[in-house]
Amino acid sequence: MGLYNTHLGNTMLRNVRNAVIIFLLLLFALATLFPIYFMFISSFGDPVEAGAVSYSLWPEKITLDSYKFFFDYSEYSYRWLGNSLLVATVTMASNVVFATMAGYAFAKIRFRGSKALFGVLLVAMMIPYQVTQVPLYILIVNVFNISNSYTALIAPSLVTVYNIFLAKQFMGSIPKEILESAKVEGCSQWQIFTRIVMPLSKTVMAVMAILTFMESWNTFFWPFLVTNTMDMQTIQVGLKNFRFANTTYFAPMMAGATVSALPMFILFFSLQRYFLEGVTVGAVKG
Amino acid sequence: MAREASTIKTKYRLNKGDGAWAYAFIAVALVVYAMFTAYPVVSAFIISFQDYKPLGSSYVGLDNYVSVFQSSLFWKSMGNTVLYTVLTVPVALMLSFGVAILIMPLKKWMQTSFKAIYYLPAVASGVALSVVWLWIFDPLQSGILNQLVGVFGISNQNWLGASATSMFSLVLMSWLSSHGTSIIIYVAALLGIDSSYYEAADIDGASFLQKMWHIVLPCLKPTTLFLLVTGVIGSFQVFQNAYLMTGGGPDHSTTMVGLLIFDTAFKYFEFGNAAAQSLVLALVIAVMAFIQFKFLGKDVEY
C-alpha cells in the first residue's frame, strides 16, 4: 500500500516499471556525474597545451605527469593542502565544542534572556553574507591588522549560528527527566553536559563535524580575500591562481581540480551516512 | 501545601547556578557572534552612510544609496539575478521532486545509492567544478558541449564568451549540478506521509495521478515552500560561478548583484557604495521571503 500500485500478482509488470524508473534515474545520474568523471579521466592526460588536445571521454593514456605539473607550479603547492587541512580541522573542532555547548544551554537550561538571545542569533541566518563581508574584511585587515594569518582564516567561523541551531534542534528531543535525575544525584551542569548530553548527541556532533569540515575545505572567497602570499593560501585559492596562470593547460588544471576535490570524495564515501543524515537534520524544522 | 513549598524549594535549589553555567556555555559563541556577525552588520549600516577611507571616513548622508539607485549597472545586475533565479530555482524544484517520486518504489539500498550519487557533486568544491565546466564550455569545435550540440546540427557556440549564451551557460551548469540536498529532503517528506491516506485512496479506487494531486502535492507543500524560499534566498546571493567563469561578462550579461557588490568592494574599493548595495540586497531578499510566506504559506503550519 502506498503511492505506487504494487501490481500484486503481476511481477512482470512491476519489474518493467522499476526497470524504466531505474533507467531514468541513471540517465539523470549520468548527467550530474559527468563533470566529475570528465575531471577525473582528463587529469591523467599529458601536461601539454590545450591546442594540441582533443578531449576524449575514455582515458587513452594514464600518466601522473599532469599532477606533477600542478604541484611543480608553486613551491607552496603541498603547503596549500596543509593549510586547508589545518584551517578545516581547527574550524571543525571549535564548532563542535562551542556549538554543542551553546546548543545545550539554549535547548535545556532555563536562564534569563535565553529566548531573546537565541532570537538574535537566528536573525543572523537571514542576513545575506554580502552585508557582513565588507565590514568583516575591514575589521580583520585594517582594525586587527591580521591579514595573511591563520587567525584571519579561522576566527570568523569559529562557531557558526547554523551549527548552534543544529545542536539546539537535536538536543530539544533529549528527555528532561534524564537531566533532572542527574541533577538530583548531584551532577553539576558541566558533568551533565559531558557525561549525559554529549554521549546522547554523538550523531549531531558527527554531522556537524563533517559538514563544517567540508564547508571550510571548500570555501574560496574568504581565504582569497585575506591571504596575499602563496604560502598562506588554501588549496582552493591555489587552484584558482593556477588556473589563471596556466589558462591553456587542460590536463594539469583537471589534476589540480581533482587534488582539491578528492579528499572530500574520500571523506564522503567513508562517512556517507552522516552526510546524508546531515541534510535532513538541518532542514526539518521544529 | 507544605509538600508543594518543598518541591518549589528543591526546584529553586536545583536551578540555582544554572544561569551562570548557561552563560558560560554560550560565552564563546556570543563573543564570536558579536564580533564577527553583529558588529559587521551594525558597521555595514554606518559605512553605507560614509565615504569610507581607512584613515578617516567622511559622512555623506544618503549619497551612496542615491548612487546605487541611479546606477544602471545595479538595475541590470538585479535583472540578471532575477532572470537567473527564475530559470534555476523552479527547475531545480521540479527535477528534485521528480527524482524523489521516482526513487520511492525502489529498494532501500538503491534509494540510498541514488541519493549518494546525486549528492556527490555538492561535495566537490565550487572552484574545482568551475574549472571543469570552463572546459566543457570550450568554444572550440572540439569542446565537449559543442560536440554534443553538433550532433543535433547546431553550430559552434562561444558559450561563455557571447552575451547571448553566457547566462544560459551558467543556468545550464546549475541545472546539472547537485540537487542532492533537495532530493533528500523531498524523499524524507514523502516517507513522512501517512500510508493511511494512500489506503483510503486505494479503497476509493484513486489512480496514481489522483493520489499525486490530492495527497502528495498538498502534503509536500510545506517542504516545497521551504525549498523555494531557501532556494530563492540562496540564488540571490549567488556569484561564485559567475566570478570564476565569466567574471560577470561579457558586457555585464552575467553580473549578478552578489558579484557587483564584490567588485565594488574589492576591485574598486568603494566600501561605502558596496555596503549600501548589500543592504538594498538584504532588504529585497527579506521582502521576497516575506511575500512568499504570506501568499504561498497561507495554510502551511510550521
Side-chain angles (χ1 to χ4, degrees):
Chain A
M1 285 288 164
L3 170 58
Y4 283 87
N5 192 333
T6 37
H7 296 295
L8 285 175
N10 194 344
T11 31
M12 173 71 182
L13 192 60
R14 197 177 67 209
N15 286 343
V16 169
R17 183 200 68 193
N18 280 2
V20 171
I21 285 176
I22 290 172
F23 176 75
L24 287 175
L25 288 174
L26 280 178
L27 213 62
F28 186 61
L30 206 66
T32 351
L33 289 186
F34 175 71
I36 291 170
Y37 170 79
F38 182 57
M39 164 183 90
F40 196 63
I41 292 301
S42 313
S43 70
F44 295 113
D46 282 317
V48 288
E49 299 214 37
V53 177
S54 62
Y55 308 111
S56 71
L57 299 182
W58 311 109
E60 278 158 0
K61 178 179 176 184
I62 292 189
T63 159
L64 292 177
D65 288 353
S66 289
Y67 285 90
K68 201 170 165 308
F69 187 96
F70 174 75
F71 281 115
D72 286 345
Y73 161 67
S74 158
E75 54 175 317
Y76 296 112
S77 43
Y78 289 102
R79 202 175 148 152
W80 293 336
L81 284 170
N83 285 344
S84 281
L85 184 66
L86 178 78
V87 170
T89 310
V90 174
T91 309
M92 173 188 81
S94 88
N95 265 284
V96 170
V97 173
F98 296 122
T100 313
M101 273 164 56
Y104 168 59
F106 282 121
K108 287 295 167 200
I109 306 178
R110 297 210 304 182
F111 61 99
R112 204 184 293 265
S114 101
K115 284 236 170 67
L117 278 174
F118 191 68
V120 171
L121 289 187
L122 279 193
V123 169
M125 298 222 303
M126 294 162 203
I127 296 170
Y129 64 96
Q130 274 93 354
V131 172
T132 52
Q133 206 172 36
V134 170
L136 197 58
Y137 176 82
I138 295 172
L139 182 73
I140 296 287
V141 175
N142 295 348
V143 179
F144 289 157
N145 220 344
I146 50 168
S147 71
N148 217 30
S149 71
Y150 288 117
T151 320
L153 287 171
I154 295 166
S157 40
L158 269 178
V159 46
T160 64
V161 173
Y162 178 75
N163 281 337
I164 299 174
F165 179 72
L166 213 63
K168 191 211 166 210
Q169 287 296 95
F170 186 89
M171 289 169 186
S173 61
I174 297 177
K176 68 173 191 285
E177 286 76 16
I178 302 181
L179 307 179
E180 271 167 10
S181 61
K183 233 186 275 179
V184 172
E185 301 289 331
C187 275
S188 71
Q189 279 293 346
W190 180 252
Q191 285 168 322
I192 295 176
F193 176 66
T194 51
R195 291 187 196 171
I196 298 167
V197 174
M198 277 172 61
L200 286 175
S201 310
K202 272 186 201 142
T203 319
V204 78
M205 287 166 80
V207 164
M208 223 193 279
I210 289 166
L211 294 185
T212 311
F213 189 88
M214 181 178 87
E215 187 94 10
S216 179
W217 180 277
N218 285 343
T219 191
F220 163 69
F221 270 102
W222 183 247
F224 175 59
L225 285 178
V226 297
T227 56
N228 39 41
T229 57
M230 281 212 173
D231 62 317
M232 283 308 294
Q233 285 168 352
T234 60
I235 182 70
Q236 308 303 341
V237 183
L239 176 61
K240 186 243 166 202
N241 289 340
F242 178 84
R243 137 147 146 64
F244 277 90
N246 303 278
T247 44
T248 51
Y249 283 93
F250 167 61
M253 230 184 255
M254 294 297 147
T258 309
V259 167
S260 85
L262 198 60
M264 290 306 106
F265 288 152
I266 295 172
L267 199 69
F268 176 70
F269 282 119
S270 36
L271 298 167
Q272 203 197 83
R273 186 169 79 84
Y274 292 103
F275 274 93
L276 300 185
E277 212 162 289
V279 175
T280 29
V281 171
V284 177
K285 307 192 81 171
Chain B
M1 267 305 264
R3 217 174 128 193
E4 222 178 282
S6 79
T7 42
I8 289 170
K9 215 173 161 189
T10 24
K11 257 207 173 135
Y12 173 74
R13 212 176 46 230
L14 282 174
N15 289 328
K16 206 178 157 202
D18 277 5
W21 272 111
Y23 287 116
F25 281 144
I26 62 171
V28 175
L30 279 191
V31 170
V32 170
Y33 177 81
M35 213 190 263
F36 300 119
T37 304
Y39 166 76
V41 170
V42 175
S43 177
F45 273 100
I46 298 171
I47 293 171
S48 74
F49 294 108
Q50 288 177 335
D51 179 19
Y52 183 86
K53 302 220 174 56
L55 305 166
S57 315
S58 52
Y59 176 77
V60 292
L62 289 170
D63 281 9
N64 286 325
Y65 289 95
V66 171
S67 74
V68 167
F69 289 118
Q70 282 176 349
S71 144
S72 60
L73 187 55
F74 179 79
W75 292 108
K76 180 164 188 179
S77 66
M78 215 27 132
N80 283 337
T81 310
V82 171
L83 180 66
Y84 182 80
T85 307
V86 168
L87 289 177
T88 56
V89 175
V91 174
L93 283 186
M94 283 187 270
L95 276 177
S96 27
F97 178 74
V99 170
I101 290 283
L102 286 179
I103 277 185
M104 289 311 282
L106 301 183
K107 291 196 180 70
K108 186 87 181 150
W109 67 269
M110 273 185 141
Q111 291 189 0
T112 316
S113 319
F114 273 118
K115 280 195 275 187
I117 290 175
Y118 295 133
Y119 189 75
L120 189 67
V123 176
S125 78
V127 185
L129 287 179
S130 77
V131 166
V132 180
W133 278 93
L134 207 63
W135 288 99
I136 294 178
F137 287 128
D138 189 344
L140 295 178
Q141 176 88 55
S142 56
I144 295 280
L145 195 59
N146 273 334
Q147 282 186 33
L148 187 70
V149 298
V151 174
F152 300 101
I154 299 170
S155 60
N156 266 5
Q157 300 290 329
N158 185 0
W159 295 104
L160 295 167
S163 329
T165 47
S166 57
M167 178 58 92
F168 172 74
S169 304
L170 291 183
V171 169
L172 181 70
M173 185 179 165
S174 131
W175 285 347
L176 291 182
S177 56
S178 176
H179 299 295
T181 309
S182 19
I183 291 173
I184 293 169
I185 292 174
Y186 263 133
V187 169
L190 281 170
L191 289 172
I193 298 178
D194 197 330
S195 62
S196 61
Y197 292 153
Y198 297 130
E199 280 156 27
D202 281 334
I203 291 167
D204 290 344
S207 71
F208 175 75
L209 286 179
Q210 282 171 323
K211 281 191 243 176
M212 284 284 273
W213 184 252
H214 293 290
I215 300 172
V216 176
L217 288 181
C219 283
L220 290 196
K221 201 174 165 192
T223 314
T224 306
L225 184 67
F226 170 76
L227 289 174
L228 180 70
V229 173
T230 50
V232 169
I233 291 176
S235 171
F236 262 69
Q237 301 180 47
V238 124
F239 75 113
Q240 182 159 313
N241 284 339
Y243 175 80
L244 290 168
M245 298 188 53
T246 62
D251 190 27
H252 294 297
S253 58
T254 52
T255 303
M256 323 262 183
V257 180
L259 183 57
L260 181 71
I261 296 171
F262 182 84
D263 280 348
T264 314
F266 300 110
K267 206 158 142 193
Y268 306 112
F269 290 97
E270 291 172 9
F271 286 155
N273 213 334
Q277 287 169 343
S278 71
L279 288 168
V280 173
L281 175 66
L283 186 70
V284 170
I285 289 178
V287 168
M288 265 181 343
F290 178 76
I291 290 174
Q292 292 176 61
F293 273 115
K294 185 91 182 161
F295 288 99
L296 301 171
K298 268 185 195 141
D299 44 351
V300 174
E301 279 175 41
Y302 278 91

